[in-house]
Coordinates of all heavy atoms in Angstrom, one line a residue:
M1 N -17.7 -16.9 20.7 CA -16.4 -17.5 20.3 C -16.6 -18.0 18.9 O -17.6 -18.5 18.5 CB -16.0 -18.6 21.3 CG -14.7 -19.2 21.0 SD -13.2 -18.1 21.1 CE -13.3 -17.5 22.8
N2 N -15.4 -17.9 18.1 CA -15.5 -18.4 16.7 C -14.2 -19.2 16.4 O -13.2 -19.0 17.1 CB -15.7 -17.3 15.7 CG -14.6 -16.4 15.6 OD1 -13.5 -16.8 15.2 ND2 -14.8 -15.1 15.8
P3 N -14.2 -20.0 15.4 CA -13.1 -20.9 15.1 C -11.8 -20.1 14.8 O -10.7 -20.5 15.3 CB -13.5 -21.7 13.9 CG -15.1 -21.7 14.0 CD -15.4 -20.3 14.6
D4 N -11.9 -19.0 14.2 CA -10.7 -18.2 14.0 C -9.9 -17.7 15.2 O -8.7 -17.7 15.3 CB -11.0 -16.9 13.1 CG -11.2 -17.3 11.7 OD1 -10.7 -18.4 11.1 OD2 -11.9 -16.7 10.9
I5 N -10.7 -17.3 16.2 CA -10.1 -16.9 17.5 C -9.5 -18.0 18.1 O -8.4 -17.9 18.7 CB -11.2 -16.2 18.4 CG1 -11.6 -14.9 17.8 CG2 -10.6 -16.0 19.8 CD1 -12.8 -14.2 18.5
I6 N -10.1 -19.2 18.2 CA -9.5 -20.4 18.8 C -8.3 -20.8 18.1 O -7.3 -21.1 18.7 CB -10.6 -21.5 18.8 CG1 -11.8 -21.1 19.7 CG2 -9.9 -22.8 19.3 CD1 -12.9 -22.1 19.6
R7 N -8.3 -20.8 16.8 CA -7.1 -21.1 16.0 C -5.9 -20.2 16.4 O -4.8 -20.6 16.6 CB -7.3 -21.0 14.5 CG -6.1 -21.3 13.6 CD -6.3 -20.9 12.2 NE -6.8 -19.6 11.9 CZ -6.0 -18.5 12.0 NH1 -4.7 -18.6 12.2 NH2 -6.4 -17.3 11.7
Q8 N -6.2 -18.9 16.5 CA -5.2 -17.9 16.8 C -4.6 -18.1 18.2 O -3.4 -18.1 18.4 CB -5.7 -16.5 16.8 CG -6.0 -16.0 15.3 CD -6.7 -14.7 15.3 OE1 -6.9 -14.0 16.3 NE2 -7.2 -14.3 14.1
L9 N -5.5 -18.4 19.2 CA -5.0 -18.7 20.5 C -4.1 -19.9 20.5 O -3.2 -19.9 21.3 CB -6.2 -18.8 21.4 CG -7.1 -17.7 21.7 CD1 -8.4 -17.9 22.4 CD2 -6.3 -16.6 22.6
I10 N -4.5 -21.0 19.9 CA -3.7 -22.2 19.9 C -2.4 -21.9 19.2 O -1.3 -22.3 19.8 CB -4.5 -23.3 19.2 CG1 -5.7 -23.8 20.0 CG2 -3.6 -24.6 19.0 CD1 -6.7 -24.7 19.3
E11 N -2.4 -21.3 18.1 CA -1.1 -21.0 17.4 C -0.2 -20.2 18.1 O 1.0 -20.3 18.0 CB -1.5 -20.6 15.9 CG -2.0 -21.7 15.1 CD -2.4 -21.3 13.7 OE1 -2.3 -20.1 13.4 OE2 -2.8 -22.2 12.9
Q12 N -0.8 -19.2 18.8 CA 0.1 -18.3 19.7 C 0.6 -19.0 20.9 O 1.7 -18.8 21.3 CB -0.7 -17.1 20.1 CG -1.1 -16.1 19.0 CD -2.0 -15.0 19.4 OE1 -2.5 -14.9 20.5 NE2 -2.4 -14.2 18.4
G13 N -0.1 -19.9 21.4 CA 0.2 -20.6 22.7 C 1.1 -21.7 22.5 O 1.9 -22.2 23.3
L14 N 1.1 -22.3 21.2 CA 2.1 -23.4 20.8 C 2.9 -22.9 19.6 O 2.5 -23.1 18.4 CB 1.3 -24.6 20.4 CG 0.6 -25.4 21.6 CD1 -0.3 -26.5 21.1 CD2 1.7 -26.0 22.4
P15 N 4.0 -22.2 19.9 CA 4.7 -21.6 18.7 C 5.1 -22.8 17.7 O 5.5 -23.8 18.1 CB 6.0 -21.0 19.4 CG 5.5 -20.7 20.7 CD 4.5 -21.8 21.1
G16 N 5.0 -22.4 16.4 CA 5.3 -23.3 15.4 C 4.2 -24.3 15.0 O 4.3 -25.1 14.2
S17 N 3.1 -24.2 15.7 CA 1.9 -25.1 15.5 C 1.0 -24.5 14.4 O 1.1 -23.4 14.0 CB 1.1 -25.3 16.7 OG 0.4 -24.1 17.1
S18 N 0.2 -25.5 13.9 CA -0.8 -25.0 12.9 C -2.2 -25.7 13.4 O -2.2 -26.9 13.8 CB -0.5 -25.4 11.5 OG -0.5 -26.8 11.3
A19 N -3.2 -25.0 13.3 CA -4.5 -25.5 13.9 C -5.6 -25.3 12.8 O -5.6 -24.2 12.2 CB -4.8 -24.8 15.2
D20 N -6.4 -26.3 12.6 CA -7.6 -26.2 11.7 C -8.8 -26.4 12.7 O -8.9 -27.4 13.3 CB -7.6 -27.3 10.7 CG -8.8 -27.2 9.8 OD1 -9.4 -26.1 9.6 OD2 -9.3 -28.3 9.4
V21 N -9.6 -25.3 12.9 CA -10.7 -25.3 13.9 C -12.0 -25.1 13.1 O -12.1 -24.2 12.3 CB -10.5 -24.2 15.0 CG1 -11.6 -24.3 16.0 CG2 -9.1 -24.4 15.6
R22 N -12.9 -25.9 13.5 CA -14.3 -25.9 12.9 C -15.3 -25.9 14.0 O -15.1 -26.5 15.0 CB -14.5 -27.0 11.9 CG -13.5 -27.0 10.8 CD -13.6 -28.3 10.0 NE -12.5 -28.4 9.1 CZ -12.5 -27.9 7.9 NH1 -13.5 -27.3 7.4 NH2 -11.4 -28.1 7.1
G23 N -16.4 -25.2 13.7 CA -17.6 -25.2 14.7 C -18.6 -24.2 14.2 O -18.3 -23.1 13.8
D24 N -19.9 -24.7 14.2 CA -20.9 -23.9 13.6 C -21.8 -23.2 14.7 O -22.5 -22.2 14.3 CB -21.8 -24.7 12.6 CG -21.0 -25.2 11.4 OD1 -20.1 -24.5 11.0 OD2 -21.3 -26.3 10.9
D25 N -21.8 -23.7 15.8 CA -22.8 -23.2 16.8 C -22.2 -22.2 17.8 O -22.9 -21.7 18.7 CB -23.5 -24.3 17.6 CG -22.6 -25.1 18.4 OD1 -21.4 -24.8 18.6 OD2 -23.2 -26.1 19.0
G26 N -20.9 -21.9 17.8 CA -20.3 -20.9 18.7 C -19.9 -21.5 20.0 O -19.2 -20.8 20.8
V27 N -20.2 -22.8 20.4 CA -19.7 -23.3 21.6 C -19.1 -24.7 21.5 O -18.4 -25.1 22.4 CB -20.9 -23.4 22.7 CG1 -21.3 -22.0 23.1 CG2 -22.1 -24.2 22.2
H28 N -19.4 -25.4 20.4 CA -18.9 -26.8 20.2 C -17.9 -26.7 19.0 O -18.3 -26.3 17.9 CB -20.0 -27.8 19.9 CG -20.9 -27.9 21.0 ND1 -22.1 -27.2 21.2 CD2 -20.9 -28.8 22.1 CE1 -22.8 -27.5 22.2 NE2 -22.1 -28.5 22.8
F29 N -16.7 -27.2 19.2 CA -15.6 -27.1 18.2 C -14.9 -28.4 18.0 O -14.8 -29.2 18.9 CB -14.7 -25.9 18.5 CG -15.4 -24.6 18.6 CD1 -15.8 -24.2 19.9 CD2 -15.6 -23.8 17.6 CE1 -16.4 -22.9 20.1 CE2 -16.2 -22.6 17.7 CZ -16.7 -22.2 18.9
E30 N -14.4 -28.5 16.8 CA -13.4 -29.6 16.5 C -12.1 -29.0 16.0 O -12.1 -28.0 15.2 CB -13.9 -30.5 15.4 CG -15.2 -31.2 15.7 CD -15.7 -32.0 14.6 OE1 -15.0 -32.1 13.5 OE2 -16.7 -32.6 14.7
A31 N -10.9 -29.4 16.4 CA -9.7 -28.9 16.0 C -8.7 -30.0 15.7 O -8.6 -31.0 16.4 CB -9.1 -28.0 17.1
T32 N -7.9 -29.8 14.6 CA -6.8 -30.6 14.3 C -5.6 -29.7 14.5 O -5.5 -28.7 13.9 CB -6.8 -31.2 12.9 OG1 -8.0 -31.9 12.8 CG2 -5.6 -32.1 12.6
V33 N -4.7 -30.1 15.5 CA -3.6 -29.3 15.7 C -2.3 -30.1 15.5 O -2.2 -31.2 15.9 CB -3.5 -28.9 17.3 CG1 -2.4 -28.0 17.6 CG2 -4.8 -28.2 17.6
V34 N -1.4 -29.5 14.7 CA 0.0 -30.1 14.3 C 1.0 -29.4 15.0 O 1.0 -28.1 14.8 CB 0.1 -30.2 12.8 CG1 1.4 -30.8 12.5 CG2 -1.1 -31.0 12.1
A35 N 1.8 -30.0 15.8 CA 2.9 -29.3 16.6 C 4.1 -30.2 16.9 O 3.8 -31.3 17.2 CB 2.3 -28.7 17.9
E36 N 5.2 -29.7 16.8 CA 6.4 -30.4 17.1 C 6.4 -30.6 18.6 O 6.9 -31.7 19.1 CB 7.7 -29.5 16.7 CG 9.0 -30.2 17.0 CD 9.2 -31.5 16.2 OE1 8.7 -31.5 15.0 OE2 9.8 -32.4 16.7
A37 N 5.7 -29.7 19.4 CA 5.7 -29.9 20.8 C 5.0 -31.2 21.3 O 5.2 -31.6 22.4 CB 5.0 -28.7 21.5
F38 N 4.3 -31.8 20.4 CA 3.6 -33.1 20.7 C 4.5 -34.3 20.7 O 4.2 -35.4 21.2 CB 2.5 -33.4 19.8 CG 1.4 -32.3 20.0 CD1 0.5 -32.0 18.8 CD2 1.1 -31.6 21.1 CE1 -0.4 -31.1 18.8 CE2 0.1 -30.6 21.1 CZ -0.7 -30.3 20.0
R39 N 5.8 -34.2 20.1 CA 6.6 -35.3 19.9 C 7.0 -36.0 21.3 O 7.3 -35.3 22.2 CB 8.0 -34.9 19.3 CG 8.9 -36.0 19.0 CD 10.1 -35.6 18.2 NE 9.8 -34.8 17.1 CZ 9.4 -35.3 15.9 NH1 9.2 -36.6 15.8 NH2 9.2 -34.5 14.9
G40 N 6.7 -37.3 21.3 CA 7.1 -38.1 22.5 C 6.0 -38.0 23.6 O 6.2 -38.5 24.7
K41 N 4.8 -37.3 23.3 CA 3.9 -37.1 24.4 C 2.7 -38.0 24.1 O 2.3 -38.1 22.9 CB 3.4 -35.6 24.5 CG 4.5 -34.8 25.0 CD 4.0 -33.4 25.3 CE 5.0 -32.5 26.0 NZ 6.4 -32.5 25.5
L42 N 2.1 -38.5 25.1 CA 0.8 -39.3 24.9 C -0.4 -38.4 24.7 O -0.3 -37.1 24.9 CB 0.5 -40.0 26.3 CG 1.5 -41.1 26.6 CD1 1.2 -41.7 28.0 CD2 1.5 -42.2 25.6
P43 N -1.5 -38.9 24.0 CA -2.6 -38.1 23.7 C -3.1 -37.1 24.8 O -3.4 -36.0 24.6 CB -3.6 -39.1 23.3 CG -2.9 -40.2 22.8 CD -1.7 -40.3 23.7
L44 N -3.2 -37.6 26.1 CA -3.7 -36.8 27.1 C -2.8 -35.6 27.4 O -3.3 -34.4 27.5 CB -3.8 -37.5 28.4 CG -4.4 -36.8 29.6 CD1 -5.8 -36.2 29.3 CD2 -4.5 -37.7 30.8
A45 N -1.5 -35.8 27.3 CA -0.6 -34.7 27.5 C -0.6 -33.7 26.4 O -0.6 -32.4 26.6 CB 0.9 -35.2 27.6
R46 N -0.9 -34.2 25.2 CA -1.0 -33.2 24.0 C -2.2 -32.4 24.2 O -2.2 -31.2 23.9 CB -1.1 -34.1 22.7 CG 0.1 -34.9 22.4 CD -0.1 -35.7 21.2 NE 1.1 -36.4 20.7 CZ 1.3 -37.0 19.5 NH1 0.3 -36.9 18.7 NH2 2.4 -37.6 19.2
H47 N -3.4 -33.0 24.6 CA -4.6 -32.3 24.8 C -4.4 -31.2 25.8 O -4.9 -30.1 25.7 CB -5.7 -33.2 25.1 CG -6.1 -34.1 23.9 ND1 -7.3 -34.7 23.9 CD2 -5.5 -34.5 22.8 CE1 -7.4 -35.4 22.7 NE2 -6.3 -35.3 22.1
R48 N -3.7 -31.6 26.9 CA -3.5 -30.6 28.0 C -2.8 -29.4 27.5 O -3.0 -28.2 27.9 CB -2.8 -31.3 29.2 CG -3.7 -32.1 30.0 CD -3.0 -32.8 31.2 NE -3.9 -33.6 32.0 CZ -3.5 -34.6 32.8 NH1 -2.2 -35.0 32.8 NH2 -4.4 -35.3 33.4
L49 N -1.8 -29.5 26.6 CA -1.1 -28.5 26.1 C -2.0 -27.5 25.3 O -1.9 -26.3 25.4 CB 0.0 -29.0 25.1 CG 1.3 -29.5 25.7 CD1 2.2 -30.2 24.7 CD2 2.1 -28.5 26.5
V50 N -2.9 -28.2 24.5 CA -3.8 -27.3 23.7 C -4.8 -26.6 24.7 O -5.0 -25.4 24.6 CB -4.7 -28.2 22.7 CG1 -5.7 -27.3 22.0 CG2 -3.7 -28.8 21.7
Y51 N -5.4 -27.3 25.6 CA -6.3 -26.7 26.7 C -5.6 -25.6 27.4 O -6.3 -24.5 27.6 CB -6.8 -27.7 27.6 CG -7.6 -28.8 27.0 CD1 -7.7 -30.1 27.6 CD2 -8.5 -28.6 26.0 CE1 -8.4 -31.1 27.1 CE2 -9.4 -29.6 25.4 CZ -9.3 -30.8 26.0 OH -10.1 -31.8 25.5
A52 N -4.4 -25.7 27.6 CA -3.6 -24.6 28.3 C -3.6 -23.3 27.6 O -3.6 -22.2 28.1 CB -2.2 -25.1 28.8
T53 N -3.5 -23.4 26.2 CA -3.5 -22.2 25.4 C -4.9 -21.5 25.4 O -4.9 -20.3 25.1 CB -3.2 -22.5 23.8 OG1 -4.3 -23.3 23.3 CG2 -1.9 -23.4 23.7
L54 N -5.9 -22.2 25.8 CA -7.3 -21.6 25.8 C -7.7 -21.2 27.1 O -8.6 -20.4 27.3 CB -8.3 -22.6 25.2 CG -8.0 -23.1 23.8 CD1 -8.9 -24.3 23.4 CD2 -8.1 -22.0 22.8
G55 N -7.0 -21.6 28.2 CA -7.3 -21.2 29.6 C -8.6 -21.3 30.0 O -9.4 -22.3 29.8
E56 N -9.2 -20.2 30.7 CA -10.5 -20.2 31.3 C -11.6 -20.3 30.3 O -12.8 -20.5 30.6 CB -10.6 -19.0 32.1 CG -9.8 -19.0 33.4 CD -9.9 -17.8 34.2 OE1 -10.7 -16.9 33.9 OE2 -9.2 -17.7 35.2
R57 N -11.3 -20.1 29.0 CA -12.4 -20.2 28.0 C -12.9 -21.6 27.9 O -14.1 -21.8 27.5 CB -11.8 -19.8 26.6 CG -11.4 -18.3 26.6 CD -10.7 -18.0 25.3 NE -10.3 -16.6 25.1 CZ -9.1 -16.1 25.7 NH1 -8.3 -16.9 26.2 NH2 -8.9 -14.9 25.5
M58 N -12.1 -22.6 28.2 CA -12.6 -24.0 28.2 C -13.6 -24.1 29.2 O -13.4 -23.8 30.4 CB -11.5 -25.0 28.4 CG -10.6 -25.2 27.2 SD -11.4 -25.7 25.7 CE -12.2 -27.2 26.3
G59 N -14.8 -24.6 29.0 CA -15.9 -24.8 29.9 C -16.7 -23.7 30.0 O -17.7 -23.6 30.7
G60 N -16.2 -22.6 29.5 CA -17.0 -21.3 29.5 C -17.5 -21.0 28.1 O -18.4 -21.5 27.6
E61 N -16.7 -20.0 27.5 CA -17.0 -19.6 26.1 C -17.0 -20.8 25.1 O -17.7 -20.9 24.1 CB -16.1 -18.6 25.6 CG -16.1 -17.3 26.3 CD -15.0 -16.4 26.0 OE1 -15.1 -15.7 24.9 OE2 -14.0 -16.4 26.7
I62 N -16.0 -21.8 25.4 CA -15.9 -23.0 24.6 C -16.5 -24.2 25.4 O -15.8 -24.6 26.4 CB -14.5 -23.3 24.3 CG1 -13.9 -22.1 23.5 CG2 -14.3 -24.6 23.4 CD1 -12.3 -22.2 23.4
H63 N -17.7 -24.7 25.1 CA -18.3 -25.7 25.9 C -17.6 -27.1 25.6 O -17.4 -27.8 26.5 CB -19.8 -25.8 25.5 CG -20.5 -26.9 26.2 ND1 -20.7 -26.8 27.6 CD2 -21.1 -28.0 25.8 CE1 -21.4 -27.8 28.0 NE2 -21.6 -28.6 26.9
A64 N -17.2 -27.3 24.3 CA -16.6 -28.6 24.1 C -15.6 -28.4 22.8 O -15.9 -27.6 21.9 CB -17.7 -29.6 23.6
L65 N -14.5 -29.1 22.9 CA -13.5 -29.1 21.9 C -13.0 -30.5 21.7 O -12.3 -31.0 22.5 CB -12.4 -28.2 22.3 CG -11.2 -28.0 21.4 CD1 -11.7 -27.4 20.0 CD2 -10.1 -27.2 22.0
A66 N -13.4 -31.0 20.5 CA -12.8 -32.3 20.1 C -11.5 -32.1 19.5 O -11.3 -31.3 18.6 CB -13.8 -33.0 19.2
L67 N -10.5 -32.9 19.9 CA -9.1 -32.6 19.4 C -8.5 -33.8 18.7 O -8.7 -34.9 19.1 CB -8.2 -32.3 20.5 CG -8.3 -31.0 21.2 CD1 -7.5 -30.8 22.4 CD2 -7.9 -29.8 20.2
K68 N -7.8 -33.6 17.6 CA -6.9 -34.4 17.0 C -5.5 -33.7 17.1 O -5.4 -32.6 16.6 CB -7.3 -34.7 15.5 CG -8.4 -35.5 15.3 CD -8.7 -35.7 13.9 CE -10.1 -36.3 13.7 NZ -10.5 -36.4 12.3
T69 N -4.6 -34.4 17.7 CA -3.2 -33.8 17.9 C -2.2 -34.6 17.2 O -2.1 -35.8 17.6 CB -2.9 -33.6 19.4 OG1 -3.1 -34.8 20.1 CG2 -3.9 -32.5 20.1
L70 N -1.4 -34.0 16.4 CA -0.4 -34.8 15.6 C 0.9 -34.0 15.6 O 0.9 -32.8 15.6 CB -0.9 -34.9 14.2 CG -2.3 -35.5 13.9 CD1 -2.8 -35.1 12.5 CD2 -2.3 -36.9 14.2
T71 N 2.0 -34.8 15.5 CA 3.3 -34.2 15.2 C 3.4 -33.9 13.6 O 2.5 -34.5 12.9 CB 4.5 -35.2 15.5 OG1 4.4 -36.3 14.7 CG2 4.4 -35.6 17.0
P72 N 4.2 -33.2 13.2 CA 4.3 -32.9 11.8 C 4.5 -34.2 10.9 O 3.9 -34.4 9.8 CB 5.6 -32.1 11.6 CG 5.6 -31.2 12.9 CD 5.2 -32.3 13.9
E73 N 5.3 -35.2 11.5 CA 5.4 -36.5 10.7 C 4.2 -37.3 10.7 O 3.8 -37.9 9.7 CB 6.5 -37.3 11.4 CG 7.9 -36.7 11.2 CD 8.2 -35.5 12.1 OE1 7.5 -35.3 13.1 OE2 9.2 -34.8 11.8
E74 N 3.5 -37.2 11.8 CA 2.1 -38.0 11.8 C 1.2 -37.4 10.9 O 0.4 -38.0 10.2 CB 1.5 -37.9 13.3 CG 2.3 -38.8 14.2 CD 1.9 -38.5 15.7 OE1 1.3 -37.4 16.0 OE2 2.2 -39.4 16.5
A75 N 1.2 -36.0 10.8 CA 0.3 -35.3 9.9 C 0.7 -35.6 8.4 O -0.2 -35.8 7.6 CB 0.3 -33.8 10.1
G76 N 1.9 -35.7 8.1 CA 2.5 -36.1 6.7 C 2.0 -37.4 6.4 O 1.7 -37.7 5.2
N77 N 2.0 -38.4 7.3 CA 1.7 -39.7 7.0 C 0.1 -39.9 6.7 O -0.3 -40.9 6.2 CB 2.0 -40.6 8.1 CG 3.5 -40.8 8.3 OD1 4.3 -40.6 7.3 ND2 4.0 -41.2 9.4
R78 N -0.7 -38.9 7.1 CA -2.1 -39.0 6.9 C -2.5 -38.5 5.5 O -3.6 -38.7 5.0 CB -2.8 -38.1 7.9 CG -2.7 -38.6 9.3 CD -3.5 -37.6 10.2 NE -5.0 -37.7 9.9 CZ -5.8 -36.8 10.3 NH1 -5.4 -35.7 10.9 NH2 -7.1 -36.9 10.0
Q79 N -1.6 -37.9 4.8 CA -1.9 -37.4 3.4 C -1.8 -38.3 2.4 O -1.2 -39.3 2.4 CB -1.1 -36.1 3.1 CG -1.3 -35.0 4.1 CD -0.4 -33.8 3.8 OE1 0.4 -33.8 3.0 NE2 -0.6 -32.8 4.7

């Protein structure tokens, strides 16, 4: 597994989202995901949306995924 594939899966599974995925060892990754779909949702619900885009790969090909999940407004405030 590589960061580009994970990014594509997330962005396809959450239309309108953007993901920045990093990971050097092929099993541990970090991702920052910005999506309108996160609006009004608590962090756990946001993470579940992302995990759903990855399906069975979580816990298999992807051993660990550290997530930062933001709405577009939250992401804009970080800059």
Side-chain angles (χ1 to χ4, degrees):
M1 186 58 63
N2 71 59
D4 285 334
I5 293 172
I6 295 171
R7 179 190 54 78
Q8 290 172 10
L9 290 167
I10 292 170
E11 290 178 352
Q12 289 171 3
L14 287 171
S17 68
S18 65
D20 177 36
V21 182
R22 299 172 192 271
D24 294 329
D25 68 1
V27 292
H28 298 92
F29 300 92
E30 297 177 4
T32 299
V33 183
V34 178
E36 184 64 35
F38 298 150
R39 183 175 309 285
K41 292 186 172 46
L42 296 172
L44 183 59
R46 293 177 178 197
H47 290 198
R48 285 181 177 153
L49 285 172
V50 175
Y51 294 147
T53 68
L54 301 171
E56 294 178 1
R57 292 174 181 89
M58 284 303 305
E61 296 170 82
I62 303 168
H63 180 69
L65 177 64
L67 287 173
K68 290 181 188 167
T69 52
L70 306 165
T71 65
E73 289 76 20
E74 291 167 344
N77 291 337
R78 293 181 65 201
Q79 297 178 359

